[in-house]
Amino acid sequence: MNEYDLLNLTYNSMEEARRQMVRLLEERSRTYSLPRPLYNDPLLFRIDMEEVFEKEWLFVGMTCELPAKGDYMTVEIGQNPVLIVRDRDGEIQAFHNVCRHRGSRLCTKASGKVATLTCPYHQWTYDLKGNLIFASPEMGENFDRNEYGLKPVHCKTAGGFIFVCLRHGEPPAIDDFLSALAEYMEPYDMENTKVATESTLEEQANWKLVIENNRECYHCSGSHPELLRTLLEWDDTTDPRATPEFLEHCERQAQSWDREGIPHRHLEVGLRNRIVRMPLKEGTQVMTMDGKPACRKTLGRVQNRELGSMRILHLPNSWNHMQSDHLIVFRVLPVSAQKTLVTTKWLVHKDAVEGEDYEVERLRQVWDATNRQDRDLAEENQRGINSLGYEPGPYSETYEFGVINFLDWYAETVLNNGKQGRF
């Protein structure tokens, strides 16, 4: 078999995979888990990457991680290395982290600071807006530097969050969510925060199982003793499990938030984005083992330490908990059909001093335990799904409605993006 036969075989395999993807998504039952191939097949995973992670807005990091001109971070989205940098005008730019000469990665570290972007291979050099400013004279007198700037990636910021989109052409709409995000994050003054610590877990599970696990607390009472020291299991005031006592607690907290001008109205932008501020258990302030402050300094203009947790969802790859003295942001990036990276970052006031205002171990204790527990749950879920004994099982329409909503968004997104492209 020659190389052309192999190319045709790969092409035909992908075309068949796309037909299978359409059939599985169109025929699925909305209130049941997905068929096995959608959780473990490498070709269907490749379609997930092409139709979701290469076309939708993704959370990649926080603006406070790039406080000064020349600060940069890198991220790998599948096989796409991306570079995010603050330019000399103070704007955050994103580029494909690929030199226009022969394709080498420009920046090989996770983060750093540069005056210019210089390729380590042949020293082609770009300014912080992606313009090629140096290529050796050996390129010849007819070489036009203006034609070889870095390829930009769509990039938007709001409320301290950085989002990128790899899509060619016009990206999907996100401005309504970003406007709301900026409003709801205003009390925290995100430009005056810093990442105190972070972790990345490699989970041997499909990315959708990682998100599904996050979208319900049906499993919490049996799996998360540390988290439930402070967290109330109810998703919001419309949760069918909500008790009269819980609703009264919510109302009392809402009145105190109103007095301080803290946004808390439940907000949804389609199935993709959601913001809701929920109180924690009475007598607790933040998600620590004892419910007491994790940091002496509150954030921004916050005075009331009982802000509960403002939960922010952004599909396909982020959930977040915003509290009075520290913030916790989560980023999900698929690696393969059965491998996913989950990065957690804990943010505090930029002037907070480790060892004086906060202790990293105390800051991390609850969510380090919860993340490990969730990793184990997702990995055992994957092992069971890989079995010949697996078949899609029913979701609870009350306890697991968040999972149903996520899979509705996922199916709609893959089918719609596919119709615009290759399906």
Side-chain angles (χ1 to χ4, degrees), residues 280-294:
L280 299 171
K281 286 184 176 180
E282 290 197 64
T284 66
Q285 296 180 334
V286 294
M287 293 177 178
T288 52
M289 291 295 286
D290 59 6
K292 295 178 181 178

PDB file of all heavy atoms in Angstrom, residues 280-294:
ATOM      1  N   LEU A 280     -23.297  29.756  50.593  1.00  0.00           N
ATOM      2  CA  LEU A 280     -22.757  28.535  51.179  1.00  0.00           C
ATOM      3  C   LEU A 280     -23.569  28.206  52.432  1.00  0.00           C
ATOM      4  O   LEU A 280     -24.534  28.899  52.762  1.00  0.00           O
ATOM      5  CB  LEU A 280     -21.278  28.730  51.496  1.00  0.00           C
ATOM      6  CG  LEU A 280     -20.385  29.028  50.283  1.00  0.00           C
ATOM      7  CD1 LEU A 280     -18.981  29.411  50.729  1.00  0.00           C
ATOM      8  CD2 LEU A 280     -20.337  27.849  49.326  1.00  0.00           C
ATOM      9  N   LYS A 281     -23.198  27.145  53.117  1.00  0.00           N
ATOM     10  CA  LYS A 281     -23.922  26.763  54.324  1.00  0.00           C
ATOM     11  C   LYS A 281     -23.876  27.894  55.347  1.00  0.00           C
ATOM     12  O   LYS A 281     -22.892  28.633  55.444  1.00  0.00           O
ATOM     13  CB  LYS A 281     -23.308  25.504  54.927  1.00  0.00           C
ATOM     14  CG  LYS A 281     -23.629  24.231  54.153  1.00  0.00           C
ATOM     15  CD  LYS A 281     -23.071  23.004  54.856  1.00  0.00           C
ATOM     16  CE  LYS A 281     -23.486  21.727  54.123  1.00  0.00           C
ATOM     17  NZ  LYS A 281     -22.941  20.506  54.792  1.00  0.00           N
ATOM     18  N   GLU A 282     -24.959  28.030  56.114  1.00  0.00           N
ATOM     19  CA  GLU A 282     -25.005  29.080  57.133  1.00  0.00           C
ATOM     20  C   GLU A 282     -23.832  28.925  58.100  1.00  0.00           C
ATOM     21  O   GLU A 282     -23.481  27.821  58.506  1.00  0.00           O
ATOM     22  CB  GLU A 282     -26.321  29.010  57.897  1.00  0.00           C
ATOM     23  CG  GLU A 282     -27.515  29.429  57.054  1.00  0.00           C
ATOM     24  CD  GLU A 282     -28.736  29.763  57.906  1.00  0.00           C
ATOM     25  OE1 GLU A 282     -28.644  30.736  58.691  1.00  0.00           O
ATOM     26  OE2 GLU A 282     -29.740  29.053  57.783  1.00  0.00           O
ATOM     27  N   GLY A 283     -23.209  30.051  58.416  1.00  0.00           N
ATOM     28  CA  GLY A 283     -22.077  30.030  59.326  1.00  0.00           C
ATOM     29  C   GLY A 283     -20.740  29.814  58.646  1.00  0.00           C
ATOM     30  O   GLY A 283     -19.706  29.811  59.320  1.00  0.00           O
ATOM     31  N   THR A 284     -20.742  29.655  57.318  1.00  0.00           N
ATOM     32  CA  THR A 284     -19.480  29.510  56.584  1.00  0.00           C
ATOM     33  C   THR A 284     -19.329  30.661  55.607  1.00  0.00           C
ATOM     34  O   THR A 284     -20.307  31.247  55.145  1.00  0.00           O
ATOM     35  CB  THR A 284     -19.409  28.171  55.828  1.00  0.00           C
ATOM     36  OG1 THR A 284     -20.407  28.152  54.781  1.00  0.00           O
ATOM     37  CG2 THR A 284     -19.661  26.997  56.758  1.00  0.00           C
ATOM     38  N   GLN A 285     -18.086  30.965  55.288  1.00  0.00           N
ATOM     39  CA  GLN A 285     -17.807  32.118  54.430  1.00  0.00           C
ATOM     40  C   GLN A 285     -17.213  31.732  53.083  1.00  0.00           C
ATOM     41  O   GLN A 285     -17.550  32.329  52.066  1.00  0.00           O
ATOM     42  CB  GLN A 285     -16.862  33.086  55.156  1.00  0.00           C
ATOM     43  CG  GLN A 285     -17.476  33.685  56.415  1.00  0.00           C
ATOM     44  CD  GLN A 285     -16.543  34.646  57.126  1.00  0.00           C
ATOM     45  OE1 GLN A 285     -15.317  34.546  57.010  1.00  0.00           O
ATOM     46  NE2 GLN A 285     -17.104  35.585  57.858  1.00  0.00           N
ATOM     47  N   VAL A 286     -16.308  30.770  53.083  1.00  0.00           N
ATOM     48  CA  VAL A 286     -15.660  30.346  51.836  1.00  0.00           C
ATOM     49  C   VAL A 286     -15.425  28.840  51.888  1.00  0.00           C
ATOM     50  O   VAL A 286     -15.639  28.185  52.906  1.00  0.00           O
ATOM     51  CB  VAL A 286     -14.317  31.085  51.603  1.00  0.00           C
ATOM     52  CG1 VAL A 286     -14.533  32.576  51.370  1.00  0.00           C
ATOM     53  CG2 VAL A 286     -13.362  30.838  52.761  1.00  0.00           C
ATOM     54  N   MET A 287     -14.941  28.301  50.754  1.00  0.00           N
ATOM     55  CA  MET A 287     -14.737  26.859  50.641  1.00  0.00           C
ATOM     56  C   MET A 287     -13.396  26.445  51.240  1.00  0.00           C
ATOM     57  O   MET A 287     -12.442  26.140  50.533  1.00  0.00           O
ATOM     58  CB  MET A 287     -14.821  26.434  49.170  1.00  0.00           C
ATOM     59  CG  MET A 287     -16.189  26.582  48.564  1.00  0.00           C
ATOM     60  SD  MET A 287     -16.151  26.138  46.814  1.00  0.00           S
ATOM     61  CE  MET A 287     -17.873  26.355  46.378  1.00  0.00           C
ATOM     62  N   THR A 288     -13.353  26.451  52.566  1.00  0.00           N
ATOM     63  CA  THR A 288     -12.219  25.894  53.292  1.00  0.00           C
ATOM     64  C   THR A 288     -12.746  24.774  54.174  1.00  0.00           C
ATOM     65  O   THR A 288     -13.961  24.594  54.308  1.00  0.00           O
ATOM     66  CB  THR A 288     -11.520  26.969  54.144  1.00  0.00           C
ATOM     67  OG1 THR A 288     -12.507  27.629  54.958  1.00  0.00           O
ATOM     68  CG2 THR A 288     -10.820  27.994  53.276  1.00  0.00           C
ATOM     69  N   MET A 289     -11.851  24.048  54.807  1.00  0.00           N
ATOM     70  CA  MET A 289     -12.294  22.917  55.613  1.00  0.00           C
ATOM     71  C   MET A 289     -13.173  23.353  56.782  1.00  0.00           C
ATOM     72  O   MET A 289     -14.090  22.632  57.180  1.00  0.00           O
ATOM     73  CB  MET A 289     -11.082  22.131  56.128  1.00  0.00           C
ATOM     74  CG  MET A 289     -10.323  21.385  55.032  1.00  0.00           C
ATOM     75  SD  MET A 289     -11.310  20.076  54.263  1.00  0.00           S
ATOM     76  CE  MET A 289     -11.281  18.839  55.563  1.00  0.00           C
ATOM     77  N   ASP A 290     -12.930  24.539  57.328  1.00  0.00           N
ATOM     78  CA  ASP A 290     -13.752  25.021  58.438  1.00  0.00           C
ATOM     79  C   ASP A 290     -14.707  26.129  58.033  1.00  0.00           C
ATOM     80  O   ASP A 290     -15.458  26.651  58.874  1.00  0.00           O
ATOM     81  CB  ASP A 290     -12.866  25.485  59.604  1.00  0.00           C
ATOM     82  CG  ASP A 290     -11.904  26.602  59.212  1.00  0.00           C
ATOM     83  OD1 ASP A 290     -11.991  27.105  58.071  1.00  0.00           O
ATOM     84  OD2 ASP A 290     -11.041  26.959  60.046  1.00  0.00           O
ATOM     85  N   GLY A 291     -14.681  26.517  56.746  1.00  0.00           N
ATOM     86  CA  GLY A 291     -15.585  27.558  56.281  1.00  0.00           C
ATOM     87  C   GLY A 291     -15.142  28.964  56.609  1.00  0.00           C
ATOM     88  O   GLY A 291     -15.823  29.937  56.259  1.00  0.00           O
ATOM     89  N   LYS A 292     -13.986  29.097  57.280  1.00  0.00           N
ATOM     90  CA  LYS A 292     -13.479  30.417  57.638  1.00  0.00           C
ATOM     91  C   LYS A 292     -12.567  30.943  56.535  1.00  0.00           C
ATOM     92  O   LYS A 292     -12.152  30.191  55.659  1.00  0.00           O
ATOM     93  CB  LYS A 292     -12.754  30.341  58.980  1.00  0.00           C
ATOM     94  CG  LYS A 292     -13.683  29.986  60.133  1.00  0.00           C
ATOM     95  CD  LYS A 292     -12.931  29.876  61.451  1.00  0.00           C
ATOM     96  CE  LYS A 292     -13.892  29.499  62.583  1.00  0.00           C
ATOM     97  NZ  LYS A 292     -13.184  29.341  63.891  1.00  0.00           N
ATOM     98  N   PRO A 293     -12.233  32.250  56.562  1.00  0.00           N
ATOM     99  CA  PRO A 293     -11.474  32.853  55.458  1.00  0.00           C
ATOM    100  C   PRO A 293     -10.198  32.099  55.114  1.00  0.00           C
ATOM    101  O   PRO A 293      -9.524  31.543  55.978  1.00  0.00           O
ATOM    102  CB  PRO A 293     -11.176  34.257  55.962  1.00  0.00           C
ATOM    103  CG  PRO A 293     -12.315  34.564  56.882  1.00  0.00           C
ATOM    104  CD  PRO A 293     -12.628  33.271  57.563  1.00  0.00           C
ATOM    105  N   ALA A 294      -9.884  32.118  53.828  1.00  0.00           N
ATOM    106  CA  ALA A 294      -8.639  31.529  53.336  1.00  0.00           C
ATOM    107  C   ALA A 294      -7.565  32.586  53.181  1.00  0.00           C
ATOM    108  O   ALA A 294      -6.384  32.266  53.126  1.00  0.00           O
ATOM    109  CB  ALA A 294      -8.877  30.840  52.003  1.00  0.00           C
TER     110      ALA A 294
END
